[in-house]
PDB file of all heavy atoms in Angstrom:
ATOM      1  N   LEU A  21       5.401   6.923 -18.196  1.00  0.00           N
ATOM      2  CA  LEU A  21       5.615   5.464 -18.070  1.00  0.00           C
ATOM      3  C   LEU A  21       6.329   4.918 -19.344  1.00  0.00           C
ATOM      4  O   LEU A  21       6.225   5.467 -20.392  1.00  0.00           O
ATOM      5  CB  LEU A  21       4.153   4.772 -17.971  1.00  0.00           C
ATOM      6  CG  LEU A  21       3.298   5.061 -16.761  1.00  0.00           C
ATOM      7  CD1 LEU A  21       1.980   4.369 -16.810  1.00  0.00           C
ATOM      8  CD2 LEU A  21       4.051   4.832 -15.408  1.00  0.00           C
ATOM      9  N   VAL A  22       7.161   3.930 -19.163  1.00  0.00           N
ATOM     10  CA  VAL A  22       7.977   3.420 -20.185  1.00  0.00           C
ATOM     11  C   VAL A  22       7.875   1.936 -20.249  1.00  0.00           C
ATOM     12  O   VAL A  22       7.855   1.260 -19.311  1.00  0.00           O
ATOM     13  CB  VAL A  22       9.365   3.938 -20.154  1.00  0.00           C
ATOM     14  CG1 VAL A  22       9.571   5.357 -20.263  1.00  0.00           C
ATOM     15  CG2 VAL A  22      10.064   3.441 -18.821  1.00  0.00           C
ATOM     16  N   GLY A  23       7.992   1.459 -21.458  1.00  0.00           N
ATOM     17  CA  GLY A  23       8.109   0.008 -21.699  1.00  0.00           C
ATOM     18  C   GLY A  23       9.145  -0.252 -22.759  1.00  0.00           C
ATOM     19  O   GLY A  23       9.827   0.651 -23.231  1.00  0.00           O
ATOM     20  N   ALA A  24       9.323  -1.534 -23.195  1.00  0.00           N
ATOM     21  CA  ALA A  24      10.412  -1.808 -24.078  1.00  0.00           C
ATOM     22  C   ALA A  24      10.291  -1.070 -25.378  1.00  0.00           C
ATOM     23  O   ALA A  24      11.327  -0.617 -25.999  1.00  0.00           O
ATOM     24  CB  ALA A  24      10.365  -3.362 -24.420  1.00  0.00           C
ATOM     25  N   ARG A  25       9.128  -0.835 -25.876  1.00  0.00           N
ATOM     26  CA  ARG A  25       8.958  -0.102 -27.114  1.00  0.00           C
ATOM     27  C   ARG A  25       9.141   1.327 -27.029  1.00  0.00           C
ATOM     28  O   ARG A  25       9.201   2.024 -28.096  1.00  0.00           O
ATOM     29  CB  ARG A  25       7.474  -0.413 -27.696  1.00  0.00           C
ATOM     30  CG  ARG A  25       7.179  -1.886 -28.128  1.00  0.00           C
ATOM     31  CD  ARG A  25       5.909  -1.998 -28.763  1.00  0.00           C
ATOM     32  NE  ARG A  25       5.656  -3.379 -29.162  1.00  0.00           N
ATOM     33  CZ  ARG A  25       4.868  -4.248 -28.547  1.00  0.00           C
ATOM     34  NH1 ARG A  25       4.257  -3.855 -27.401  1.00  0.00           N
ATOM     35  NH2 ARG A  25       4.661  -5.537 -28.937  1.00  0.00           N
ATOM     36  N   ASP A  26       9.347   1.897 -25.821  1.00  0.00           N
ATOM     37  CA  ASP A  26       9.460   3.344 -25.627  1.00  0.00           C
ATOM     38  C   ASP A  26      10.844   3.674 -25.448  1.00  0.00           C
ATOM     39  O   ASP A  26      11.218   4.825 -25.258  1.00  0.00           O
ATOM     40  CB  ASP A  26       8.639   3.830 -24.420  1.00  0.00           C
ATOM     41  CG  ASP A  26       7.223   3.472 -24.471  1.00  0.00           C
ATOM     42  OD1 ASP A  26       6.632   3.763 -25.523  1.00  0.00           O
ATOM     43  OD2 ASP A  26       6.676   2.898 -23.538  1.00  0.00           O
ATOM     44  N   THR A  27      11.767   2.644 -25.579  1.00  0.00           N
ATOM     45  CA  THR A  27      13.203   2.881 -25.274  1.00  0.00           C
ATOM     46  C   THR A  27      14.139   2.411 -26.528  1.00  0.00           C
ATOM     47  O   THR A  27      13.582   1.656 -27.359  1.00  0.00           O
ATOM     48  CB  THR A  27      13.632   2.146 -23.994  1.00  0.00           C
ATOM     49  OG1 THR A  27      13.472   0.865 -24.175  1.00  0.00           O
ATOM     50  CG2 THR A  27      12.833   2.677 -22.787  1.00  0.00           C
ATOM     51  N   ALA A  28      15.333   2.832 -26.390  1.00  0.00           N
ATOM     52  CA  ALA A  28      16.344   2.368 -27.389  1.00  0.00           C
ATOM     53  C   ALA A  28      17.502   1.879 -26.610  1.00  0.00           C
ATOM     54  O   ALA A  28      17.947   2.613 -25.580  1.00  0.00           O
ATOM     55  CB  ALA A  28      16.729   3.492 -28.353  1.00  0.00           C
ATOM     56  N   ALA A  29      18.069   0.662 -26.999  1.00  0.00           N
ATOM     57  CA  ALA A  29      19.256   0.119 -26.285  1.00  0.00           C
ATOM     58  C   ALA A  29      20.280  -0.046 -27.214  1.00  0.00           C
ATOM     59  O   ALA A  29      20.034  -0.530 -28.325  1.00  0.00           O
ATOM     60  CB  ALA A  29      18.885  -1.059 -25.479  1.00  0.00           C
ATOM     61  N   GLU A  30      21.580   0.099 -26.759  1.00  0.00           N
ATOM     62  CA  GLU A  30      22.749  -0.288 -27.569  1.00  0.00           C
ATOM     63  C   GLU A  30      23.939  -0.806 -26.637  1.00  0.00           C
ATOM     64  O   GLU A  30      24.024  -0.328 -25.500  1.00  0.00           O
ATOM     65  CB  GLU A  30      23.272   0.900 -28.381  1.00  0.00           C
ATOM     66  CG  GLU A  30      23.537   2.138 -27.545  1.00  0.00           C
ATOM     67  CD  GLU A  30      23.934   3.329 -28.325  1.00  0.00           C
ATOM     68  OE1 GLU A  30      23.927   3.211 -29.564  1.00  0.00           O
ATOM     69  OE2 GLU A  30      24.283   4.397 -27.749  1.00  0.00           O
ATOM     70  N   ARG A  31      24.615  -1.626 -27.148  1.00  0.00           N
ATOM     71  CA  ARG A  31      25.703  -2.204 -26.481  1.00  0.00           C
ATOM     72  C   ARG A  31      26.837  -1.274 -26.449  1.00  0.00           C
ATOM     73  O   ARG A  31      27.069  -0.520 -27.463  1.00  0.00           O
ATOM     74  CB  ARG A  31      26.232  -3.568 -27.173  1.00  0.00           C
ATOM     75  CG  ARG A  31      25.234  -4.711 -27.029  1.00  0.00           C
ATOM     76  CD  ARG A  31      25.766  -5.899 -27.710  1.00  0.00           C
ATOM     77  NE  ARG A  31      24.818  -7.094 -27.682  1.00  0.00           N
ATOM     78  CZ  ARG A  31      23.963  -7.261 -28.551  1.00  0.00           C
ATOM     79  NH1 ARG A  31      23.801  -6.459 -29.670  1.00  0.00           N
ATOM     80  NH2 ARG A  31      23.103  -8.297 -28.436  1.00  0.00           N
ATOM     81  N   ALA A  32      27.618  -1.309 -25.414  1.00  0.00           N
ATOM     82  CA  ALA A  32      28.823  -0.430 -25.291  1.00  0.00           C
ATOM     83  C   ALA A  32      29.891  -1.009 -26.245  1.00  0.00           C
ATOM     84  O   ALA A  32      29.900  -2.211 -26.488  1.00  0.00           O
ATOM     85  CB  ALA A  32      29.377  -0.350 -23.865  1.00  0.00           C
ATOM     86  N   PRO A  33      30.785  -0.177 -26.811  1.00  0.00           N
ATOM     87  CA  PRO A  33      31.843  -0.725 -27.687  1.00  0.00           C
ATOM     88  C   PRO A  33      32.737  -1.762 -26.949  1.00  0.00           C
ATOM     89  O   PRO A  33      33.082  -1.606 -25.919  1.00  0.00           O
ATOM     90  CB  PRO A  33      32.702   0.505 -27.970  1.00  0.00           C
ATOM     91  CG  PRO A  33      31.702   1.704 -27.741  1.00  0.00           C
ATOM     92  CD  PRO A  33      30.896   1.273 -26.731  1.00  0.00           C
ATOM     93  N   GLY A  34      32.992  -2.927 -27.632  1.00  0.00           N
ATOM     94  CA  GLY A  34      33.730  -3.984 -27.108  1.00  0.00           C
ATOM     95  C   GLY A  34      32.952  -4.797 -26.052  1.00  0.00           C
ATOM     96  O   GLY A  34      33.601  -5.634 -25.398  1.00  0.00           O
ATOM     97  N   TYR A  35      31.719  -4.529 -25.875  1.00  0.00           N
ATOM     98  CA  TYR A  35      30.900  -5.409 -24.923  1.00  0.00           C
ATOM     99  C   TYR A  35      30.879  -6.817 -25.329  1.00  0.00           C
ATOM    100  O   TYR A  35      30.482  -7.110 -26.466  1.00  0.00           O
ATOM    101  CB  TYR A  35      29.489  -4.747 -24.775  1.00  0.00           C
ATOM    102  CG  TYR A  35      28.494  -5.647 -24.148  1.00  0.00           C
ATOM    103  CD1 TYR A  35      28.648  -6.058 -22.825  1.00  0.00           C
ATOM    104  CD2 TYR A  35      27.358  -6.031 -24.860  1.00  0.00           C
ATOM    105  CE1 TYR A  35      27.660  -6.818 -22.257  1.00  0.00           C
ATOM    106  CE2 TYR A  35      26.468  -6.863 -24.239  1.00  0.00           C
ATOM    107  CZ  TYR A  35      26.582  -7.256 -22.864  1.00  0.00           C
ATOM    108  OH  TYR A  35      25.657  -8.016 -22.339  1.00  0.00           O
ATOM    109  N   ALA A  36      31.193  -7.714 -24.347  1.00  0.00           N
ATOM    110  CA  ALA A  36      31.083  -9.133 -24.612  1.00  0.00           C
ATOM    111  C   ALA A  36      29.936  -9.688 -23.721  1.00  0.00           C
ATOM    112  O   ALA A  36      30.174  -9.790 -22.546  1.00  0.00           O
ATOM    113  CB  ALA A  36      32.425  -9.771 -24.418  1.00  0.00           C
ATOM    114  N   ALA A  37      28.901 -10.089 -24.318  1.00  0.00           N
ATOM    115  CA  ALA A  37      27.720 -10.547 -23.485  1.00  0.00           C
ATOM    116  C   ALA A  37      28.087 -11.762 -22.673  1.00  0.00           C
ATOM    117  O   ALA A  37      27.510 -11.960 -21.525  1.00  0.00           O
ATOM    118  CB  ALA A  37      26.523 -10.811 -24.440  1.00  0.00           C
ATOM    119  N   GLU A  38      28.999 -12.663 -23.177  1.00  0.00           N
ATOM    120  CA  GLU A  38      29.233 -13.918 -22.467  1.00  0.00           C
ATOM    121  C   GLU A  38      29.803 -13.616 -21.026  1.00  0.00           C
ATOM    122  O   GLU A  38      29.849 -14.549 -20.267  1.00  0.00           O
ATOM    123  CB  GLU A  38      30.188 -14.847 -23.299  1.00  0.00           C
ATOM    124  CG  GLU A  38      31.489 -14.317 -23.581  1.00  0.00           C
ATOM    125  CD  GLU A  38      31.513 -13.557 -24.857  1.00  0.00           C
ATOM    126  OE1 GLU A  38      30.439 -13.173 -25.345  1.00  0.00           O
ATOM    127  OE2 GLU A  38      32.667 -13.354 -25.433  1.00  0.00           O
ATOM    128  N   ARG A  39      30.392 -12.440 -20.858  1.00  0.00           N
ATOM    129  CA  ARG A  39      30.892 -12.062 -19.542  1.00  0.00           C
ATOM    130  C   ARG A  39      29.818 -12.199 -18.403  1.00  0.00           C
ATOM    131  O   ARG A  39      30.153 -12.240 -17.317  1.00  0.00           O
ATOM    132  CB  ARG A  39      31.610 -10.727 -19.501  1.00  0.00           C
ATOM    133  CG  ARG A  39      32.827 -10.672 -20.420  1.00  0.00           C
ATOM    134  CD  ARG A  39      33.300  -9.185 -20.552  1.00  0.00           C
ATOM    135  NE  ARG A  39      34.487  -9.126 -21.503  1.00  0.00           N
ATOM    136  CZ  ARG A  39      34.913  -7.950 -21.913  1.00  0.00           C
ATOM    137  NH1 ARG A  39      34.323  -6.897 -21.475  1.00  0.00           N
ATOM    138  NH2 ARG A  39      35.853  -7.889 -22.759  1.00  0.00           N
ATOM    139  N   ASN A  40      28.595 -11.929 -18.903  1.00  0.00           N
ATOM    140  CA  ASN A  40      27.480 -11.953 -17.996  1.00  0.00           C
ATOM    141  C   ASN A  40      27.095 -13.346 -17.520  1.00  0.00           C
ATOM    142  O   ASN A  40      26.224 -13.532 -16.759  1.00  0.00           O
ATOM    143  CB  ASN A  40      26.302 -11.271 -18.598  1.00  0.00           C
ATOM    144  CG  ASN A  40      26.480  -9.731 -18.576  1.00  0.00           C
ATOM    145  OD1 ASN A  40      27.181  -9.118 -17.844  1.00  0.00           O
ATOM    146  ND2 ASN A  40      25.876  -9.134 -19.627  1.00  0.00           N
ATOM    147  N   ALA A  41      27.607 -14.388 -18.264  1.00  0.00           N
ATOM    148  CA  ALA A  41      27.410 -15.799 -17.951  1.00  0.00           C
ATOM    149  C   ALA A  41      28.719 -16.561 -17.704  1.00  0.00           C
ATOM    150  O   ALA A  41      29.099 -17.379 -18.463  1.00  0.00           O
ATOM    151  CB  ALA A  41      26.564 -16.378 -19.066  1.00  0.00           C
ATOM    152  N   PRO A  42      29.332 -16.201 -16.576  1.00  0.00           N
ATOM    153  CA  PRO A  42      30.663 -16.800 -16.337  1.00  0.00           C
ATOM    154  C   PRO A  42      30.487 -18.342 -16.103  1.00  0.00           C
ATOM    155  O   PRO A  42      29.503 -18.815 -15.723  1.00  0.00           O
ATOM    156  CB  PRO A  42      31.199 -16.045 -15.085  1.00  0.00           C
ATOM    157  CG  PRO A  42      29.909 -15.689 -14.271  1.00  0.00           C
ATOM    158  CD  PRO A  42      29.059 -15.397 -15.449  1.00  0.00           C
ATOM    159  N   PRO A  43      31.738 -19.161 -16.329  1.00  0.00           N
ATOM    160  CA  PRO A  43      31.453 -20.587 -16.085  1.00  0.00           C
ATOM    161  C   PRO A  43      31.242 -20.905 -14.596  1.00  0.00           C
ATOM    162  O   PRO A  43      31.607 -20.063 -13.794  1.00  0.00           O
ATOM    163  CB  PRO A  43      32.875 -21.067 -16.532  1.00  0.00           C
ATOM    164  CG  PRO A  43      33.795 -19.959 -16.455  1.00  0.00           C
ATOM    165  CD  PRO A  43      32.897 -18.612 -16.824  1.00  0.00           C
ATOM    166  N   ARG A  44      30.487 -21.973 -14.479  1.00  0.00           N
ATOM    167  CA  ARG A  44      30.135 -22.494 -13.123  1.00  0.00           C
ATOM    168  C   ARG A  44      31.459 -22.715 -12.422  1.00  0.00           C
ATOM    169  O   ARG A  44      32.394 -23.301 -12.975  1.00  0.00           O
ATOM    170  CB  ARG A  44      29.286 -23.551 -13.194  1.00  0.00           C
ATOM    171  CG  ARG A  44      27.938 -23.323 -13.743  1.00  0.00           C
ATOM    172  CD  ARG A  44      27.005 -24.477 -13.660  1.00  0.00           C
ATOM    173  NE  ARG A  44      25.669 -24.147 -14.185  1.00  0.00           N
ATOM    174  CZ  ARG A  44      24.685 -23.624 -13.602  1.00  0.00           C
ATOM    175  NH1 ARG A  44      24.933 -23.315 -12.309  1.00  0.00           N
ATOM    176  NH2 ARG A  44      23.599 -23.279 -14.197  1.00  0.00           N
TER     177      ARG A  44
END
Side-chain angles (χ1 to χ4, degrees):
L21 299 181
V22 294
R25 295 189 177 98
D26 306 310
T27 62
E30 59 182 0
R31 297 178 177 89
Y35 163 62
E38 64 269 19
R39 294 175 187 166
N40 289 329
R44 294 182 181 276

